Amino acid sequence: MTCGPAINGHRLLARLDAFAAIGATPAGGVNRPTLSVEDRKARALLANLGTARGFTVFQDAAANLFLKRASTDNDRPPLLIGSHLDSQPTGGRFDGALGTLAALEVLETLEDNGIVTAGPIELVAWTNEEGSRFSPGAFGSQVYAAGAFPAGWQDAVDSNGASLPDELAATLKALPEAAERPLGGPFTAYLELHIEQGPLLERQGALIGAVEGIQGTRWLEVTITGQVAHAGTTPLVDRRDAMAVAVAIIAQLQATVMPADVNARLTVGRLTLTPGAVNVIPGEVVFSIDLRHPSGAEIDRLETEITSMVSEAAESGGCQALVRRSMDVAPARFDERLIGIVEDMAKRRSFPCRRMFSGAFHDALFMARLGPAAMIFVPCRGGLSHNEAEYVEPHQIIAGAQVLCDATLEVAG
Ligand code: GLV
Ligand code: MN
Ligand code: MN
């Protein structure tokens, strides 16, 4: 069996360093919130690198950024490869950047080797995959998949009051050289390289994960309303302490949901309390619940259980509760032919490979609803991600990008 052209590992590693410098944190991570000044810098750098190699730069109304490499027939639907450039506030250097820059490396490798493909291959950098600045996550790919913006998106604001429509408009304006293109559009296949963000590949000594699908995610926002009162004078019986109720709920969630099911994931990652003064009983607490499971039916069941538990706890603490969904993504299965191609390409290079499900959500989830999609995972040290210490060995980076390149050529024929 012959292997395709070798990617340029040094170039890819240098690119990862250059992008990690945009929004670099003192602890070695990245803070590049979606649609921020840093995100615009990263987008501009990607566009410049693409233009320098003769690729055409486009952006759609959701600020999804595309670099198109021409082919024999440029009117054919493209083969899309890519990921995202935004990060968590204390994010790592590889989450999203790896797949985006590996896609650029694939396009450049084809260019270096004078390979002409029948249909165009396009890099895509999706907007707001993370969702931590503006909900929901995977925003750009959702808008692409739906061909329209979701209801109520104009109301999204970040924790500083900046609005999603304003930040989107400013980001689009910051890249005037990108030609506009309509939302959505047909594609022949979608491939995304990403770090696993969990410990399975490393524990099993595998270099490549052939991803079979992605578990479902539901985000809930819980608001507990009590009564603001004096901390020193209010006896226990007169308190309607929103924080005391929230703490009881969170403790009960942690003690029940995951211990009862190894496949369930529940995280309370954000909590705000009002008014937030040392000697004032909190009148309102708002917290998030990130709930995940490979079974959509189980997510429904857990949501019902959580909602009734929240209202019972609120009532017994003299408070009111409101539970609102802020994101809901059903589990997805990837294309069997593409999964097989990823496995075959890893085998050809003698990279130990295993099939697996993704615990994290990705833009590929929405692309899988529209057409054939698959993902390639590489390990990250200790399975650590959404953390500034996120780390991937150079040989793992290069192996992942090589499999992306090989699989891209195989799919492109
Ligand atoms: C993606 O960032 C996720 O939270 O799974
Ligand atoms: Mn990611
Ligand atoms: Mn992420």
Side-chain angles (χ1 to χ4, degrees):
M1 259 187 284
T2 55
C3 288
I7 61 142
N8 182 335
H10 292 295
R11 179 170 59 195
L12 175 56
L13 296 177
R15 292 268 158 79
L16 282 161
D17 285 345
F19 279 76
I22 306 173
T25 62
V30 173
N31 179 11
R32 199 164 53 227
T34 190
L35 306 174
S36 63
V37 170
E38 293 76 22
D39 191 23
R40 285 172 213 158
K41 281 188 193 157
R43 291 162 50 84
L45 177 56
L46 182 64
N48 285 341
L49 290 168
T51 309
R53 294 304 304 251
F55 309 141
T56 317
V57 183
F58 297 94
Q59 58 185 353
D60 65 18
N64 294 315
L65 185 65
F66 302 85
L67 302 186
K68 175 172 181 160
R69 180 172 186 264
S71 65
T72 315
D73 180 358
N74 288 316
D75 294 332
R76 284 201 197 183
L79 164 54
L80 288 172
I81 54 175
S83 193
H84 61 99
L85 288 173
D86 63 313
S87 82
Q88 293 288 338
T90 53
R93 306 157 50 109
F94 302 98
D95 177 0
L98 173 65
T100 309
L101 299 175
L104 177 62
E105 182 52 42
V106 171
L107 295 189
E108 294 206 76
T109 299
L110 301 188
E111 206 60 21
D112 294 344
N113 289 274
I115 293 171
V116 181
T117 53
I121 301 177
E122 288 186 8
L123 175 159
V124 55
W126 301 107
T127 298
N128 186 21
E129 190 276 344
E130 297 292 1
S132 46
R133 184 178 184 202
F134 297 113
S135 274
F139 179 80
S141 51
Q142 289 198 61
V143 171
Y144 181 97
F149 286 84
W153 76 279
Q154 289 105 326
D155 303 331
V157 282
D158 72 5
S159 52
N160 297 316
S163 93
L164 172 54
D166 289 352
E167 293 296 84
L168 183 59
T171 302
L172 288 168
K173 213 170 136 200
L175 205 61
E177 64 272 33
E180 279 175 43
R181 67 156 53 165
L183 287 174
F187 59 97
T188 54
Y190 175 71
L191 289 172
E192 179 171 354
L193 170 69
H194 206 281
I195 58 171
E196 180 202 335
Q197 308 188 274
L200 302 180
L201 289 174
E202 187 180 74
R203 275 191 196 146
Q204 299 184 4
L207 189 49
I208 299 293
V211 187
E212 297 181 283
I214 299 186
Q215 69 177 346
T217 301
R218 190 164 294 173
W219 286 355
L220 306 174
E221 185 186 80
V222 181
T223 304
I224 307 294
T225 310
Q227 187 176 48
V228 175
H230 196 293
T233 59
T234 316
L236 182 57
V237 288
D238 296 314
R239 286 178 181 236
R240 292 167 52 211
D241 183 337
M243 187 59 178
V245 168
V247 165
I249 293 169
I250 295 167
Q252 196 176 341
L253 290 174
Q254 298 292 5
T256 53
V257 176
M258 287 192 289
D261 180 351
V262 286
N263 290 318
R265 300 285 181 272
L266 180 136
T267 304
V268 175
R270 180 183 288 159
L271 183 144
T272 53
L273 77 173
T274 317
V278 67
N279 49 355
V280 179
I281 295 167
E284 186 184 84
V285 173
V286 181
F287 62 92
S288 60
I289 298 178
D290 176 312
L291 182 65
R292 308 201 192 196
H293 201 283
S295 151
E298 195 50 26
I299 293 181
D300 287 340
R301 196 194 63 73
L302 284 167
E303 182 186 6
T304 308
E305 192 178 292
I306 289 168
T307 306
S308 62
M309 194 268 274
V310 165
S311 42
E312 275 165 34
E315 205 183 313
S316 71
C319 295
Q320 267 129 34
L322 183 76
V323 181
R324 183 183 78 82
R325 276 190 204 172
S326 66
M327 171 157 155
D328 183 28
V329 184
R333 283 226 152 247
F334 289 146
D335 182 78
E336 200 45 48
R337 179 177 153 260
L338 292 185
I339 302 167
I341 288 178
V342 171
E343 282 183 311
D344 287 350
M345 297 304 116
K347 204 163 145 198
R348 276 195 204 177
R349 300 266 175 193
S350 305
F351 297 152
C353 173
R354 59 157 286 188
R355 284 187 171 230
M356 62 187 300
F357 230 66
S358 173
F361 64 75
H362 297 284
D363 296 299
L365 198 154
F366 293 93
M367 298 306 280
R369 293 183 184 170
L370 291 185
M375 291 187 77
I376 302 158
F377 276 177
V378 287
C380 51
R381 187 169 60 198
L384 203 59
S385 181
H386 284 185
N387 186 310
E388 290 162 285
E390 187 180 271
Y391 182 73
V392 188
E393 301 277 350
H395 80 274
Q396 297 168 328
I397 293 170
I398 293 167
Q402 187 63 64
V403 171
L404 177 68
C405 185
D406 295 346
T408 299
L409 273 173
E410 185 73 13
V411 176

Short mmCIF file of all heavy atoms in Angstrom, two decimals, residues 90-152:
data_model
loop_
_atom_site.label_atom_id
_atom_site.label_comp_id
_atom_site.label_asym_id
_atom_site.label_seq_id
_atom_site.Cartn_x
_atom_site.Cartn_y
_atom_site.Cartn_z
N THR A 90 -9.60 30.11 29.99
CA THR A 90 -8.30 29.56 30.39
C THR A 90 -8.10 28.28 29.59
O THR A 90 -8.01 27.19 30.13
CB THR A 90 -8.22 29.27 31.91
OG1 THR A 90 -9.34 28.44 32.27
CG2 THR A 90 -8.25 30.54 32.74
N GLY A 91 -8.05 28.46 28.28
CA GLY A 91 -7.98 27.32 27.37
C GLY A 91 -6.55 26.92 27.06
O GLY A 91 -5.58 27.57 27.48
N GLY A 92 -6.44 25.83 26.29
CA GLY A 92 -5.13 25.34 25.88
C GLY A 92 -4.82 25.77 24.46
O GLY A 92 -5.63 26.41 23.79
N ARG A 93 -3.60 25.40 24.01
CA ARG A 93 -3.10 25.84 22.70
C ARG A 93 -3.62 24.99 21.55
O ARG A 93 -3.40 25.33 20.39
CB ARG A 93 -1.58 25.72 22.67
CG ARG A 93 -0.85 26.42 23.77
CD ARG A 93 0.53 25.78 23.98
NE ARG A 93 1.25 25.65 22.74
CZ ARG A 93 2.31 26.36 22.40
NH1 ARG A 93 2.80 27.26 23.21
NH2 ARG A 93 2.91 26.17 21.25
N PHE A 94 -4.23 23.84 21.88
CA PHE A 94 -4.52 22.87 20.82
C PHE A 94 -6.00 22.69 20.51
O PHE A 94 -6.35 22.27 19.41
CB PHE A 94 -3.91 21.51 21.20
CG PHE A 94 -2.44 21.58 21.42
CD1 PHE A 94 -1.90 21.69 22.69
CD2 PHE A 94 -1.58 21.59 20.33
CE1 PHE A 94 -0.52 21.79 22.88
CE2 PHE A 94 -0.20 21.69 20.51
CZ PHE A 94 0.32 21.79 21.79
N ASP A 95 -6.86 22.96 21.48
CA ASP A 95 -8.31 22.76 21.31
C ASP A 95 -8.78 23.68 20.18
O ASP A 95 -8.87 24.89 20.36
CB ASP A 95 -9.01 23.08 22.64
CG ASP A 95 -10.53 22.99 22.56
OD1 ASP A 95 -11.06 22.68 21.49
OD2 ASP A 95 -11.17 23.24 23.60
N GLY A 96 -9.07 23.12 19.03
CA GLY A 96 -9.54 23.89 17.88
C GLY A 96 -8.41 24.32 16.96
O GLY A 96 -8.45 24.07 15.76
N ALA A 97 -7.35 24.91 17.54
CA ALA A 97 -6.24 25.39 16.71
C ALA A 97 -5.58 24.22 15.97
O ALA A 97 -5.18 24.34 14.81
CB ALA A 97 -5.22 26.12 17.58
N LEU A 98 -5.46 23.07 16.64
CA LEU A 98 -4.81 21.92 16.00
C LEU A 98 -5.53 21.55 14.70
O LEU A 98 -4.90 21.42 13.64
CB LEU A 98 -4.76 20.72 16.95
CG LEU A 98 -4.24 19.43 16.29
CD1 LEU A 98 -2.79 19.58 15.87
CD2 LEU A 98 -4.40 18.23 17.21
N GLY A 99 -6.84 21.38 14.78
CA GLY A 99 -7.58 20.94 13.59
C GLY A 99 -7.60 22.00 12.49
O GLY A 99 -7.58 21.66 11.30
N THR A 100 -7.63 23.26 12.89
CA THR A 100 -7.66 24.34 11.90
C THR A 100 -6.30 24.43 11.19
O THR A 100 -6.23 24.50 9.95
CB THR A 100 -7.98 25.69 12.59
OG1 THR A 100 -9.14 25.51 13.40
CG2 THR A 100 -8.21 26.78 11.57
N LEU A 101 -5.22 24.40 11.98
CA LEU A 101 -3.89 24.56 11.37
C LEU A 101 -3.43 23.29 10.67
O LEU A 101 -2.68 23.36 9.68
CB LEU A 101 -2.90 25.02 12.44
CG LEU A 101 -3.31 26.38 13.03
CD1 LEU A 101 -2.40 26.79 14.17
CD2 LEU A 101 -3.34 27.48 11.96
N ALA A 102 -3.90 22.14 11.12
CA ALA A 102 -3.62 20.89 10.38
C ALA A 102 -4.32 20.94 9.03
O ALA A 102 -3.77 20.47 8.03
CB ALA A 102 -4.05 19.68 11.19
N ALA A 103 -5.52 21.51 8.99
CA ALA A 103 -6.22 21.64 7.70
C ALA A 103 -5.44 22.55 6.76
O ALA A 103 -5.31 22.27 5.56
CB ALA A 103 -7.63 22.18 7.93
N LEU A 104 -4.88 23.64 7.31
CA LEU A 104 -4.04 24.52 6.48
C LEU A 104 -2.82 23.74 5.99
O LEU A 104 -2.42 23.85 4.82
CB LEU A 104 -3.61 25.74 7.30
CG LEU A 104 -2.67 26.71 6.60
CD1 LEU A 104 -3.34 27.34 5.36
CD2 LEU A 104 -2.21 27.82 7.55
N GLU A 105 -2.25 22.94 6.87
CA GLU A 105 -1.08 22.13 6.49
C GLU A 105 -1.43 21.16 5.36
O GLU A 105 -0.62 20.95 4.45
CB GLU A 105 -0.55 21.39 7.73
CG GLU A 105 0.69 20.55 7.50
CD GLU A 105 1.83 21.32 6.83
OE1 GLU A 105 2.09 22.48 7.19
OE2 GLU A 105 2.45 20.74 5.91
N VAL A 106 -2.63 20.61 5.41
CA VAL A 106 -3.05 19.70 4.33
C VAL A 106 -3.10 20.47 3.00
O VAL A 106 -2.55 20.04 1.98
CB VAL A 106 -4.43 19.07 4.64
CG1 VAL A 106 -4.98 18.31 3.43
CG2 VAL A 106 -4.32 18.13 5.85
N LEU A 107 -3.75 21.63 3.02
CA LEU A 107 -3.85 22.42 1.77
C LEU A 107 -2.46 22.78 1.25
O LEU A 107 -2.19 22.71 0.05
CB LEU A 107 -4.66 23.71 2.01
CG LEU A 107 -6.13 23.58 2.38
CD1 LEU A 107 -6.81 24.93 2.35
CD2 LEU A 107 -6.86 22.63 1.43
N GLU A 108 -1.56 23.15 2.17
CA GLU A 108 -0.21 23.54 1.74
C GLU A 108 0.57 22.33 1.23
O GLU A 108 1.37 22.46 0.29
CB GLU A 108 0.53 24.20 2.90
CG GLU A 108 -0.11 25.52 3.30
CD GLU A 108 0.88 26.46 3.96
OE1 GLU A 108 1.70 27.05 3.26
OE2 GLU A 108 0.83 26.56 5.19
N THR A 109 0.37 21.18 1.85
CA THR A 109 1.06 19.96 1.39
C THR A 109 0.62 19.63 -0.04
O THR A 109 1.45 19.27 -0.90
CB THR A 109 0.77 18.79 2.35
OG1 THR A 109 1.27 19.14 3.64
CG2 THR A 109 1.42 17.50 1.89
N LEU A 110 -0.67 19.76 -0.31
CA LEU A 110 -1.16 19.49 -1.67
C LEU A 110 -0.52 20.48 -2.64
O LEU A 110 -0.10 20.12 -3.75
CB LEU A 110 -2.69 19.61 -1.74
CG LEU A 110 -3.50 18.68 -0.83
CD1 LEU A 110 -4.98 18.76 -1.14
CD2 LEU A 110 -3.03 17.24 -0.96
N GLU A 111 -0.43 21.73 -2.20
CA GLU A 111 0.17 22.79 -3.03
C GLU A 111 1.66 22.47 -3.28
O GLU A 111 2.12 22.51 -4.42
CB GLU A 111 0.02 24.10 -2.23
CG GLU A 111 -0.02 25.36 -3.02
CD GLU A 111 -1.13 25.48 -4.02
OE1 GLU A 111 -2.15 24.78 -3.93
OE2 GLU A 111 -0.92 26.27 -4.96
N ASP A 112 2.39 22.14 -2.21
CA ASP A 112 3.83 21.85 -2.33
C ASP A 112 4.09 20.70 -3.31
O ASP A 112 5.12 20.66 -3.97
CB ASP A 112 4.42 21.42 -0.97
CG ASP A 112 4.39 22.54 0.06
OD1 ASP A 112 4.20 23.70 -0.33
OD2 ASP A 112 4.52 22.22 1.27
N ASN A 113 3.14 19.75 -3.33
CA ASN A 113 3.34 18.55 -4.17
C ASN A 113 2.64 18.64 -5.52
O ASN A 113 2.59 17.66 -6.26
CB ASN A 113 2.87 17.31 -3.40
CG ASN A 113 3.79 16.96 -2.25
OD1 ASN A 113 4.79 16.27 -2.43
ND2 ASN A 113 3.51 17.48 -1.07
N GLY A 114 2.10 19.82 -5.81
CA GLY A 114 1.44 20.04 -7.11
C GLY A 114 0.29 19.08 -7.36
O GLY A 114 0.04 18.68 -8.50
N ILE A 115 -0.41 18.69 -6.29
CA ILE A 115 -1.52 17.73 -6.44
C ILE A 115 -2.78 18.47 -6.86
O ILE A 115 -3.19 19.44 -6.21
CB ILE A 115 -1.73 16.94 -5.14
CG1 ILE A 115 -0.51 16.04 -4.89
CG2 ILE A 115 -3.01 16.10 -5.20
CD1 ILE A 115 -0.47 15.38 -3.55
N VAL A 116 -3.38 18.02 -7.93
CA VAL A 116 -4.62 18.64 -8.41
C VAL A 116 -5.77 17.70 -8.06
O VAL A 116 -5.74 16.52 -8.41
CB VAL A 116 -4.57 18.87 -9.94
CG1 VAL A 116 -5.86 19.52 -10.42
CG2 VAL A 116 -3.36 19.73 -10.31
N THR A 117 -6.77 18.21 -7.36
CA THR A 117 -7.91 17.36 -7.00
C THR A 117 -9.08 17.66 -7.94
O THR A 117 -9.17 18.75 -8.52
CB THR A 117 -8.33 17.59 -5.54
OG1 THR A 117 -8.54 18.99 -5.32
CG2 THR A 117 -7.29 17.09 -4.57
N ALA A 118 -9.98 16.69 -8.04
CA ALA A 118 -11.11 16.85 -8.96
C ALA A 118 -12.05 17.95 -8.48
O ALA A 118 -12.50 18.79 -9.25
CB ALA A 118 -11.85 15.52 -9.08
N GLY A 119 -12.33 17.96 -7.19
CA GLY A 119 -13.19 19.00 -6.61
C GLY A 119 -12.39 19.81 -5.62
O GLY A 119 -11.32 19.38 -5.16
N PRO A 120 -12.87 21.02 -5.27
CA PRO A 120 -12.12 21.87 -4.35
C PRO A 120 -12.07 21.31 -2.92
O PRO A 120 -12.98 20.60 -2.51
CB PRO A 120 -12.88 23.20 -4.37
CG PRO A 120 -14.21 22.91 -4.95
CD PRO A 120 -14.11 21.64 -5.74
N ILE A 121 -11.00 21.65 -2.23
CA ILE A 121 -10.90 21.33 -0.80
C ILE A 121 -10.86 22.67 -0.07
O ILE A 121 -10.15 23.59 -0.49
CB ILE A 121 -9.65 20.49 -0.50
CG1 ILE A 121 -9.72 19.18 -1.31
CG2 ILE A 121 -9.54 20.20 0.99
CD1 ILE A 121 -8.52 18.28 -1.16
N GLU A 122 -11.66 22.77 0.97
CA GLU A 122 -11.75 24.03 1.71
C GLU A 122 -11.45 23.83 3.17
O GLU A 122 -11.96 22.89 3.78
CB GLU A 122 -13.16 24.63 1.59
CG GLU A 122 -13.47 25.19 0.23
CD GLU A 122 -14.82 25.91 0.19
OE1 GLU A 122 -15.44 26.11 1.25
OE2 GLU A 122 -15.23 26.26 -0.92
N LEU A 123 -10.66 24.75 3.70
CA LEU A 123 -10.49 24.81 5.16
C LEU A 123 -11.64 25.64 5.71
O LEU A 123 -12.01 26.66 5.12
CB LEU A 123 -9.16 25.50 5.47
CG LEU A 123 -8.81 25.80 6.93
CD1 LEU A 123 -7.30 25.98 7.06
CD2 LEU A 123 -9.51 27.01 7.51
N VAL A 124 -12.20 25.21 6.84
CA VAL A 124 -13.20 26.05 7.51
C VAL A 124 -12.79 26.24 8.97
O VAL A 124 -12.38 25.29 9.65
CB VAL A 124 -14.64 25.45 7.39
CG1 VAL A 124 -14.73 24.02 7.88
CG2 VAL A 124 -15.64 26.33 8.16
N ALA A 125 -12.85 27.50 9.41
CA ALA A 125 -12.65 27.82 10.84
C ALA A 125 -14.00 28.33 11.34
O ALA A 125 -14.45 29.41 10.96
CB ALA A 125 -11.57 28.88 11.00
N TRP A 126 -14.66 27.50 12.16
CA TRP A 126 -16.01 27.81 12.62
C TRP A 126 -16.00 28.88 13.71
O TRP A 126 -15.09 28.91 14.54
CB TRP A 126 -16.69 26.55 13.18
CG TRP A 126 -16.79 25.43 12.21
CD1 TRP A 126 -16.06 24.28 12.22
CD2 TRP A 126 -17.68 25.33 11.08
NE1 TRP A 126 -16.44 23.47 11.17
CE2 TRP A 126 -17.42 24.09 10.45
CE3 TRP A 126 -18.65 26.17 10.53
CZ2 TRP A 126 -18.10 23.66 9.32
CZ3 TRP A 126 -19.33 25.76 9.41
CH2 TRP A 126 -19.06 24.52 8.81
N THR A 127 -17.05 29.68 13.73
CA THR A 127 -17.19 30.73 14.75
C THR A 127 -17.78 30.16 16.04
O THR A 127 -18.74 29.38 16.00
CB THR A 127 -18.13 31.83 14.22
OG1 THR A 127 -17.54 32.40 13.05
CG2 THR A 127 -18.36 32.92 15.25
N ASN A 128 -17.23 30.60 17.17
CA ASN A 128 -17.81 30.31 18.50
C ASN A 128 -18.14 28.83 18.70
O ASN A 128 -19.28 28.47 18.95
CB ASN A 128 -19.07 31.15 18.74
CG ASN A 128 -19.63 30.99 20.14
OD1 ASN A 128 -18.91 30.58 21.06
ND2 ASN A 128 -20.90 31.30 20.32
N GLU A 129 -17.12 27.99 18.59
CA GLU A 129 -17.34 26.58 18.93
C GLU A 129 -17.52 26.43 20.44
O GLU A 129 -18.30 25.62 20.91
CB GLU A 129 -16.16 25.72 18.44
CG GLU A 129 -16.42 24.22 18.52
CD GLU A 129 -16.15 23.61 19.88
OE1 GLU A 129 -15.47 24.25 20.71
OE2 GLU A 129 -16.63 22.49 20.12
N GLU A 130 -16.75 27.24 21.20
CA GLU A 130 -16.69 26.99 22.65
C GLU A 130 -17.99 27.31 23.38
O GLU A 130 -18.37 26.61 24.30
CB GLU A 130 -15.52 27.76 23.28
CG GLU A 130 -14.14 27.34 22.77
CD GLU A 130 -13.74 25.93 23.19
OE1 GLU A 130 -14.52 25.25 23.86
OE2 GLU A 130 -12.63 25.50 22.83
N GLY A 131 -18.62 28.41 23.01
CA GLY A 131 -19.89 28.76 23.65
C GLY A 131 -19.75 29.37 25.03
O GLY A 131 -20.74 29.64 25.69
N SER A 132 -18.51 29.60 25.48
CA SER A 132 -18.38 30.12 26.85
C SER A 132 -18.53 31.64 26.90
O SER A 132 -18.86 32.19 27.94
CB SER A 132 -17.06 29.69 27.49
OG SER A 132 -16.01 29.88 26.59
N ARG A 133 -18.32 32.33 25.76
CA ARG A 133 -18.59 33.77 25.76
C ARG A 133 -20.06 34.04 25.41
O ARG A 133 -20.72 34.85 26.04
CB ARG A 133 -17.66 34.49 24.77
CG ARG A 133 -17.85 35.99 24.81
CD ARG A 133 -16.93 36.78 23.90
NE ARG A 133 -17.14 38.19 24.08
CZ ARG A 133 -16.83 39.13 23.20
NH1 ARG A 133 -16.26 38.78 22.06
NH2 ARG A 133 -17.07 40.39 23.44
N PHE A 134 -20.52 33.38 24.36
CA PHE A 134 -21.93 33.51 23.94
C PHE A 134 -22.51 32.10 23.75
O PHE A 134 -21.95 31.30 23.02
CB PHE A 134 -22.03 34.23 22.58
CG PHE A 134 -21.53 35.65 22.58
CD1 PHE A 134 -20.38 36.00 21.87
CD2 PHE A 134 -22.21 36.65 23.27
CE1 PHE A 134 -19.92 37.31 21.85
CE2 PHE A 134 -21.75 37.96 23.26
CZ PHE A 134 -20.60 38.30 22.54
N SER A 135 -23.64 31.81 24.40
CA SER A 135 -24.32 30.52 24.18
C SER A 135 -25.15 30.62 22.91
O SER A 135 -25.66 31.71 22.62
CB SER A 135 -25.27 30.22 25.33
OG SER A 135 -24.60 29.59 26.36
N PRO A 136 -25.36 29.56 22.16
CA PRO A 136 -24.82 28.23 22.38
C PRO A 136 -23.46 28.04 21.74
O PRO A 136 -23.04 28.82 20.89
CB PRO A 136 -25.86 27.36 21.66
CG PRO A 136 -26.29 28.20 20.50
CD PRO A 136 -26.25 29.62 20.99
N GLY A 137 -22.78 26.95 22.17
CA GLY A 137 -21.53 26.58 21.51
C GLY A 137 -21.81 26.01 20.13
O GLY A 137 -22.97 25.75 19.77
N ALA A 138 -20.74 25.81 19.36
CA ALA A 138 -20.83 25.33 17.98
C ALA A 138 -21.81 26.21 17.18
O ALA A 138 -22.54 25.73 16.33
CB ALA A 138 -21.25 23.86 17.92
N PHE A 139 -21.75 27.49 17.47
CA PHE A 139 -22.69 28.45 16.88
C PHE A 139 -22.54 28.49 15.34
O PHE A 139 -23.53 28.38 14.62
CB PHE A 139 -22.42 29.83 17.48
CG PHE A 139 -23.29 30.92 16.95
CD1 PHE A 139 -24.58 31.08 17.43
CD2 PHE A 139 -22.83 31.82 15.99
CE1 PHE A 139 -25.40 32.10 16.96
CE2 PHE A 139 -23.64 32.84 15.51
CZ PHE A 139 -24.92 32.98 15.99
N GLY A 140 -21.30 28.64 14.89
CA GLY A 140 -21.08 28.80 13.45
C GLY A 140 -21.54 27.60 12.64
O GLY A 140 -22.19 27.74 11.60
N SER A 141 -21.24 26.40 13.14
CA SER A 141 -21.65 25.21 12.38
C SER A 141 -23.16 25.00 12.47
O SER A 141 -23.77 24.50 11.53
CB SER A 141 -20.88 23.97 12.86
OG SER A 141 -20.97 23.84 14.25
N GLN A 142 -23.76 25.41 13.59
CA GLN A 142 -25.23 25.28 13.69
C GLN A 142 -25.91 26.20 12.69
O GLN A 142 -26.90 25.82 12.06
CB GLN A 142 -25.70 25.68 15.10
CG GLN A 142 -25.35 24.69 16.16
CD GLN A 142 -26.20 24.90 17.42
OE1 GLN A 142 -27.40 24.80 17.36
NE2 GLN A 142 -25.54 25.18 18.53
N VAL A 143 -25.38 27.41 12.57
CA VAL A 143 -25.96 28.38 11.64
C VAL A 143 -25.75 27.87 10.20
O VAL A 143 -26.65 27.96 9.36
CB VAL A 143 -25.35 29.78 11.86
CG1 VAL A 143 -25.77 30.74 10.78
CG2 VAL A 143 -25.75 30.32 13.23
N TYR A 144 -24.57 27.33 9.95
CA TYR A 144 -24.27 26.77 8.62
C TYR A 144 -25.26 25.65 8.30
O TYR A 144 -25.85 25.59 7.22
CB TYR A 144 -22.83 26.26 8.61
CG TYR A 144 -22.37 25.68 7.29
CD1 TYR A 144 -21.63 26.44 6.40
CD2 TYR A 144 -22.65 24.35 6.95
CE1 TYR A 144 -21.20 25.91 5.20
CE2 TYR A 144 -22.22 23.81 5.75
CZ TYR A 144 -21.49 24.59 4.88
OH TYR A 144 -21.07 24.06 3.69
N ALA A 145 -25.44 24.76 9.29
CA ALA A 145 -26.30 23.58 9.06
C ALA A 145 -27.76 23.99 8.85
O ALA A 145 -28.47 23.41 8.03
CB ALA A 145 -26.19 22.61 10.23
N ALA A 146 -28.20 25.00 9.60
CA ALA A 146 -29.60 25.42 9.50
C ALA A 146 -29.81 26.38 8.33
O ALA A 146 -30.94 26.60 7.90
CB ALA A 146 -30.04 26.09 10.80
N GLY A 147 -28.73 27.00 7.87
CA GLY A 147 -28.85 28.03 6.82
C GLY A 147 -29.51 29.29 7.35
O GLY A 147 -29.94 30.14 6.59
N ALA A 148 -29.58 29.41 8.67
CA ALA A 148 -30.23 30.58 9.28
C ALA A 148 -29.75 30.70 10.73
O ALA A 148 -29.29 29.72 11.32
CB ALA A 148 -31.75 30.40 9.27
N PHE A 149 -29.92 31.90 11.30
CA PHE A 149 -29.54 32.11 12.70
C PHE A 149 -30.64 31.58 13.62
O PHE A 149 -31.82 31.68 13.28
CB PHE A 149 -29.31 33.61 12.96
CG PHE A 149 -28.03 34.12 12.37
CD1 PHE A 149 -27.96 34.52 11.04
CD2 PHE A 149 -26.89 34.18 13.15
CE1 PHE A 149 -26.77 34.98 10.49
CE2 PHE A 149 -25.69 34.63 12.60
CZ PHE A 149 -25.63 35.03 11.28
N PRO A 150 -30.27 31.04 14.80
CA PRO A 150 -31.31 30.51 15.70
C PRO A 150 -32.14 31.64 16.31
O PRO A 150 -31.66 32.76 16.47
CB PRO A 150 -30.50 29.79 16.80
CG PRO A 150 -29.14 30.39 16.75
CD PRO A 150 -28.91 30.87 15.34
N ALA A 151 -33.38 31.32 16.68
CA ALA A 151 -34.27 32.32 17.28
C ALA A 151 -33.61 32.88 18.54
O ALA A 151 -33.00 32.14 19.30
CB ALA A 151 -35.60 31.65 17.65
N GLY A 152 -33.72 34.19 18.70
CA GLY A 152 -33.25 34.83 19.93
C GLY A 152 -31.75 35.09 19.97
O GLY A 152 -31.24 35.57 20.99
#
